Amino acid sequence: MPQATRLTRDEQLFASKMSSELQKAPDFARDARFAFMLYVSLARETVQIAYSFGTNVAKRAPRLGIETRSRGAALWELILYKASRFAAIGVFMLAPLPFGSVETVWICIWTMVLALSLATADLRSATLDDFYLLLPLFAVLVVVAAVITVQLWPNSPLHEVDAAWAVARGVVGADLPGRVSVTANGPWLAFGYPLLFVLAFTRAVYIATDAEDARQLLRILAWTGLAYALYGILAGIGDPTSLLFRRKEAYIGFVTGTFVNRNTAATFFASCALLFLLPLLRFIYRQDRPSRPPSRQMTALIAHYLSSPVALGGGFVICLVATAMTGSRAGLLLLILTVFLATALFFAPLRIGKLRRWGWLAGIAVAALLLVQLVGGAVAGRILTYGLVDEQRFTMYRTVLIMIQEHPLLGIGYGNFESAFPAYRPESLGSLGVWDRAHSTPLELAVELGLPAACLIIATCLWYLYHLLNGSLHRRRDRYIPIIGASVATLGFLHTSIDFSLQIPGFGVFFAAITGCGLAQSRSSSEQKK
């Protein structure tokens, strides 16, 4: 990076922004109050969960023979629990719809709905082990909030402030306090999405503590994803220049569903394909599906017919076609990889002959490759034209490493990559293109939050992935549920390492619902009842 021109770029960047910063009148007391409110909200949710655990323990004590609640109160409580669950599942289903929910208003709406849903959730079947399972996630959220507080502290004595504030003072001639963050308000605004992700993951875990509820949640998510895939395919054929009610600005001719970015859409459709694949494998192996519905109720009829092998196979093929039509190289290749992973996890613990096991794997591999050959023409064309390696992306990664080297401990401020990157942008990237993200979530976390916080987040993700894989291999009943969670988690983690799919709230909430459901069922039934 040419050092001689950096101050000039900083001056141009911050001179254009400091006037608006001064008009906003950054107030640390206000920011501190906002942070305090967030901490109180998190503490309130923790107390609510702890209170429910105490209530469950009390209910297990010997009864005194006194009826403490009227039937009317019990009925209203049941309605409240149903509404709470309905609201949470509604967020999981609708989050991908408004262009991936990238706008702050949608993050606020989904966060408020999920917070209310969690506060009114039925936690009678939850145990302390469920809470302990979520503790690392809560700890990461608190650490991120603490890092943001330090980043925004005016003239922080704990760390050297960013040099850009000195440049800004010289340009605008005002006494601006220095901060570690390169913006005064950006980190707290960006904190909304991590809070939303944690709420979605936590709510999915508590919904899926019951095996039947977990199966129903995955079934709803699968068919919701199929609806998005069908829309994407039909829109790509009928009007490839439109995205919902807007005109497409990029990726014209490629399917993006309701997302703006085709790579995020590919990861979303691939995750939906895995939701259909595992129940299909389970049926092919066990063939224990009853020929008739268990009852004539509407829900039982719908569940029976949607779990048929024809429906599951059709859903998998449609989601695979949608993934291929995005033209995403990484999306389709990672889908193939995770299909093999899911198949291996499914058959590995089964007591079948070695020849039969390899026959299953070979048959599924041949079927997957044939389907990819039929529908993956766009992806194959892009691989032949551009190859598997994007030189501009590697240039971006090298530049991000320079930024990390200059800000290793506390980063540049959470959510500030777009504001800070122009001062580091190398000439080899040219003037075309908007690089508002690092195209690698781990690298972006390291540059925005610092290496210690980024390593903690990555370690927590790997810890949860370990639990999913362990449940995939050792659980006896409903083992396909943690396998789905492990496969989708692997797909999401690998793809977001070379792109930013998990930074899009619409996919992140959907991803959190699937992996949270898998994690809740990753332990054996005997462990869950303790």
Side-chain angles (χ1 to χ4, degrees), residues 62-294:
R63 294 183 178 273
L64 300 177
I66 302 175
E67 186 65 33
T68 58
R69 295 184 305 167
S70 66
R71 291 184 178 181
L75 178 61
W76 280 110
E77 186 179 75
L78 178 62
I79 294 174
L80 179 64
Y81 290 158
K82 293 289 186 182
S84 172
R85 185 171 177 271
F86 178 81
I89 295 177
V91 172
F92 300 156
M93 296 170 62
L94 296 176
L97 181 59
F99 307 101
S101 296
V102 294
E103 299 292 337
T104 304
V105 61
W106 290 110
I107 296 176
C108 293
I109 291 174
W110 304 140
T111 300
M112 289 188 292
V113 173
L114 285 177
L116 182 62
S117 174
L118 187 60
T120 57
D122 181 6
L123 301 179
R124 290 174 296 181
S125 61
T127 64
L128 279 174
D129 287 339
D130 297 321
F131 180 70
Y132 292 149
L133 197 62
L134 292 169
L135 268 182
L137 189 64
F138 298 153
V140 166
L141 188 65
V142 172
V143 168
V144 171
V147 171
I148 290 175
T149 302
V150 176
Q151 289 175 339
L152 293 177
W153 199 282
N155 300 317
S156 173
L158 300 178
H159 197 269
E160 183 179 356
V161 300
D162 194 278
W165 289 100
V167 177
R169 282 193 293 269
V171 172
V172 301
D175 187 17
L176 297 175
R179 290 178 170 87
V180 174
S181 170
V182 299
T183 63
N185 300 311
W188 278 128
L189 291 176
F191 184 72
Y193 174 52
L195 182 61
L196 171 62
F197 185 92
V198 170
L199 288 172
F201 190 86
T202 303
R203 193 65 185 98
V205 167
Y206 283 117
I207 288 176
T209 51
D210 179 76
E212 179 57 33
D213 290 340
R215 290 190 291 268
Q216 186 181 46
L217 176 59
L218 290 182
R219 191 160 50 242
I220 291 173
L221 294 177
W223 290 98
T224 300
L226 178 65
Y228 284 117
L230 283 172
Y231 163 76
I233 293 173
L234 295 177
I237 296 174
D239 189 4
T241 62
S242 295
L243 177 61
L244 293 178
F245 51 85
R246 297 180 183 176
R247 306 302 295 178
K248 269 189 179 181
E249 298 179 1
Y251 308 116
I252 296 176
F254 295 97
V255 168
T256 61
T258 57
F259 296 92
V260 176
N261 185 272
R262 67 177 172 194
N263 297 308
T264 305
T267 314
F268 175 79
F269 295 142
S271 301
C272 298
L274 293 171
L275 288 173
F276 286 102
L277 175 65
L278 270 303
L280 181 61
L281 288 178
R282 182 174 181 266
F283 168 79
I284 293 175
Y285 173 74
R286 299 179 63 175
Q287 296 187 358
D288 57 351
R289 179 175 175 270
S291 58
R292 295 181 179 180

Side-chain angles (χ1 to χ4, degrees), residues 236-501:
I237 296 174
D239 189 4
T241 62
S242 295
L243 177 61
L244 293 178
F245 51 85
R246 297 180 183 176
R247 306 302 295 178
K248 269 189 179 181
E249 298 179 1
Y251 308 116
I252 296 176
F254 295 97
V255 168
T256 61
T258 57
F259 296 92
V260 176
N261 185 272
R262 67 177 172 194
N263 297 308
T264 305
T267 314
F268 175 79
F269 295 142
S271 301
C272 298
L274 293 171
L275 288 173
F276 286 102
L277 175 65
L278 270 303
L280 181 61
L281 288 178
R282 182 174 181 266
F283 168 79
I284 293 175
Y285 173 74
R286 299 179 63 175
Q287 296 187 358
D288 57 351
R289 179 175 175 270
S291 58
R292 295 181 179 180
S295 69
R296 304 303 298 175
Q297 294 181 353
M298 182 61 67
T299 55
L301 291 173
I302 293 175
H304 177 78
Y305 291 113
L306 292 186
S307 62
S308 66
V310 175
L312 295 175
F316 174 75
V317 171
I318 290 174
C319 292
L320 176 62
V321 171
T323 304
M325 291 180 67
T326 62
S328 172
R329 295 165 290 179
L332 187 60
L333 293 177
L334 288 177
L335 173 58
I336 298 172
L337 175 64
T338 48
V339 164
F340 290 152
L341 172 65
T343 306
L345 289 174
F346 183 81
F347 285 106
L350 298 180
R351 296 180 178 179
I352 58 178
K354 184 179 296 186
L355 182 61
R356 187 183 176 190
R357 178 182 284 109
W358 283 107
W360 275 104
L361 292 174
I364 292 173
V366 171
L369 292 176
L370 286 176
L371 285 173
V372 170
Q373 183 67 24
L374 291 174
V375 302
V379 177
R382 292 194 70 232
I383 293 176
L384 292 175
T385 303
Y386 302 105
L388 289 174
V389 180
D390 189 343
E391 186 60 34
Q392 281 195 326
R393 190 163 300 192
F394 277 115
T395 302
M396 161 68 80
Y397 294 162
R398 287 192 291 267
T399 306
V400 172
L401 290 176
I402 294 175
M403 298 173 68
I404 295 173
Q405 186 177 8
E406 294 187 5
H407 306 84
L409 295 180
L410 292 174
I412 59 174
Y414 188 57
N416 286 339
F417 181 84
E418 183 179 5
S419 300
F421 182 70
Y424 293 86
R425 181 167 180 161
E427 296 179 357
S428 57
L429 284 180
S431 59
L432 297 177
V434 178
W435 295 87
D436 57 345
R437 302 182 189 273
H439 289 263
S440 173
T441 301
L443 288 179
E444 189 163 332
L445 288 173
V447 76
E448 290 184 348
L449 292 173
L451 287 173
C455 291
L456 176 64
I457 295 172
I458 294 171
T460 304
C461 293
L462 294 177
W463 186 77
Y464 281 124
L465 180 59
Y466 162 76
H467 277 276
L468 288 168
L469 292 172
N470 185 65
S472 301
L473 295 174
H474 296 100
R475 184 177 169 87
R476 293 183 179 180
R477 296 187 61 184
D478 297 313
R479 196 168 52 85
Y480 78 99
I481 297 178
I483 295 178
I484 289 177
S487 303
V488 172
T490 302
L491 173 68
F493 290 156
L494 289 178
H495 192 273
T496 205
S497 298
I498 56 175
D499 208 74
F500 52 84
S501 53

